[in-house]
């Protein structure tokens, strides 16, 4: 992380969460600050400091956090950005951070409160769309698998590509079971269920392609085999599978809706 990127990320946090209170009489004390809950969460949940040591004045809180921010290792800065994004749930903070990350040519983007090593816009769109669609449909299991896959891929200390792929595949499995209304169903049965209700079945080659990709993560000869038997996987594999499985989840939801399969009822 270069100086310019660090400066810009701090400025995003400062302008959105601190600037107003620091320049007003009303917000000069943390207890009266607009984002008091966030400050308390940062102090206790991120910095792990005792609550009775929280500075009473907003200016002192600002200075202590600022001092830490500009001395911290680069990965802790990204941890900080993640924490703020999740704790505040403020879309404009995420949007501003992503604008900065893109402008400063960072290899990361903020997705679902996770600073992820994904910059391709089509991949980001696929992941965000699948997460939004799953959330909107109330499919907590699908959403959790995708978020876990993203988190494992994005761990800056110990990324776990193999388990990230497993979670991506599990998201597809989860939506397949819901579509087929069968807890033991696999992707093939889900596709047959959709085809049986559709006037325009999936093209055979397209269906075969989906099933072969799914087979890469299946229990028979795929990524779930024992470590001694399974092929080596890396960042590129995990990123591809997350983006592809995300797009596939959205595709399955759209096709299911088109043939009258209610995912809400299937839950």
């Amino acid at each position: 992380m270069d100086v310019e990127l660090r400066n810009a990320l701090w400025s995003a946090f400062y302008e959105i969460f601190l600037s107003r209170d620091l320049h007003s009489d009303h917000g000069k004390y943390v207890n009266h600050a607009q984002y008091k809950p966030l400050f308390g969460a940062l102090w206790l949940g991120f910095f792990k400091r005792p609550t009775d040591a929280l500075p009473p004045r907003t200016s002192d809180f600002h200075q202590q956090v600022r001092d830490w921010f500009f001395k911290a290792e680069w990965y802790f800065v990204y941890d900080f950005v993640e924490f703020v994004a999740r704790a505040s749930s403020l879309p404009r903070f995420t949007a501003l951070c992503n604008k900065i990350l893109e402008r400063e040519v960072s290899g990361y983007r903020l997705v679902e409160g996770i600073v992820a090593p994904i910059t391709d816009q089509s991949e980001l769109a696929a992941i965000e769309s699948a997460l939004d669609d799953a959330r909107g449909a109330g499919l907590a299991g699908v959403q959790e698998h995708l978020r876990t896959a993203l988190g494992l891929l994005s761990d800056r200390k110990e990324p776990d590509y193999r388990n990230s792929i497993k979670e991506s595949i599990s998201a597809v499995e989860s939506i397949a079971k819901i579509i087929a209304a069968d807890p033991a169903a696999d992707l093939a049965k889900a596709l047959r269920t959709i085809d049986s209700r559709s006037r325009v079945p999936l093209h055979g080659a397209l269906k075969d392609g989906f099933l072969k990709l799914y087979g890469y993560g299946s229990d028979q000869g795929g990524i779930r085999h024992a470590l001694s038997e399974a092929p080596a996987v890396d960042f590129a594999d995990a990123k591809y599978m997350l983006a592809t499985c995300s797009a596939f989840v959205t595709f399955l939801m759209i096709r299911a809706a088109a043939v009258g399969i209610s995912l809400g009822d299937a839950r």
Side-chain angles (χ1 to χ4, degrees):
M1 179 180 293
D2 59 25
V3 173
E4 290 80 5
L5 176 55
R6 190 183 295 254
N7 287 343
L9 289 174
W10 171 256
S11 296
F13 174 73
Y14 173 82
E15 291 298 334
I16 291 177
F17 299 108
L18 283 168
S19 178
R20 177 178 175 180
D21 285 327
L22 287 172
H23 293 93
S24 73
D25 289 335
H26 178 75
K28 65 182 179 179
Y29 291 104
V30 169
N31 279 339
H32 297 151
Q34 180 180 4
Y35 294 102
K36 174 189 173 182
L38 172 62
F39 298 165
L42 272 169
W43 196 258
L44 182 62
F46 183 77
F47 294 114
K48 311 295 184 183
R49 298 177 184 175
T51 53
D52 61 354
L54 177 66
R57 298 181 68 91
T58 306
S59 58
D60 293 332
F61 174 84
H62 157 250
Q63 192 60 55
Q64 289 194 40
V65 175
R66 190 183 194 282
D67 289 345
W68 172 90
F69 188 95
F70 282 96
K71 293 176 182 176
E73 295 288 348
W74 67 273
Y75 45 85
F76 285 133
V77 171
Y78 281 141
D79 289 348
F80 178 87
V81 170
E82 284 182 346
F83 189 96
V84 171
R86 294 176 190 176
S88 68
S89 299
L90 204 62
R92 66 189 181 106
F93 177 70
T94 294
L96 180 55
C97 285
N98 277 332
K99 184 177 180 180
I100 290 167
L101 291 166
E102 182 176 2
R103 185 189 70 206
E104 299 300 329
V105 199
S106 167
Y108 293 86
R109 296 293 184 272
L110 190 54
V111 186
E112 284 284 310
I114 297 173
V115 176
I118 302 173
T119 59
D120 183 272
Q121 289 301 316
S122 61
E123 293 174 337
L124 287 169
I127 296 166
E128 290 177 334
S129 178
L131 284 163
D132 287 344
D133 291 344
R135 185 184 301 108
L139 304 180
V142 176
Q143 185 183 351
E144 183 59 28
H145 284 307
L146 290 176
R147 277 188 56 83
T148 301
L150 181 62
L152 291 168
L153 173 71
S154 305
D155 191 309
R156 287 172 289 280
K157 295 178 182 177
E158 295 183 22
D160 189 342
Y161 302 132
R162 183 176 303 281
N163 281 316
S164 176
I165 291 174
K166 290 180 183 179
E167 290 293 335
S168 295
I169 289 292
S170 293
V172 175
E173 284 184 334
S174 183
I175 189 69
K177 295 178 193 304
I178 292 170
I179 290 171
D182 180 356
D186 59 9
L187 180 59
K189 183 170 183 179
L191 293 179
R192 287 197 301 271
T193 301
I194 291 174
D195 270 356
S196 69
R197 301 192 185 190
S198 177
R199 293 182 179 179
V200 184
L202 285 174
H203 189 281
L206 179 60
K207 187 187 298 184
D208 287 345
F210 285 151
L211 292 174
K212 286 178 180 178
L213 180 64
Y214 175 74
Y216 171 64
S218 73
D219 290 324
Q220 298 300 319
I223 202 69
R224 289 177 182 162
H225 257 203
L227 291 177
S228 59
E229 301 174 17
V233 295
D234 59 14
F235 170 75
D237 296 316
K239 182 166 75 86
Y240 174 78
M241 288 301 291
L242 175 56
T244 302
C245 289
S246 294
F248 200 13
V249 164
T250 297
F251 170 83
L252 289 172
M253 292 182 70
I254 292 172
R255 290 299 296 246
V259 299
I261 296 175
S262 174
L263 299 179
D265 291 343
R267 291 198 309 278

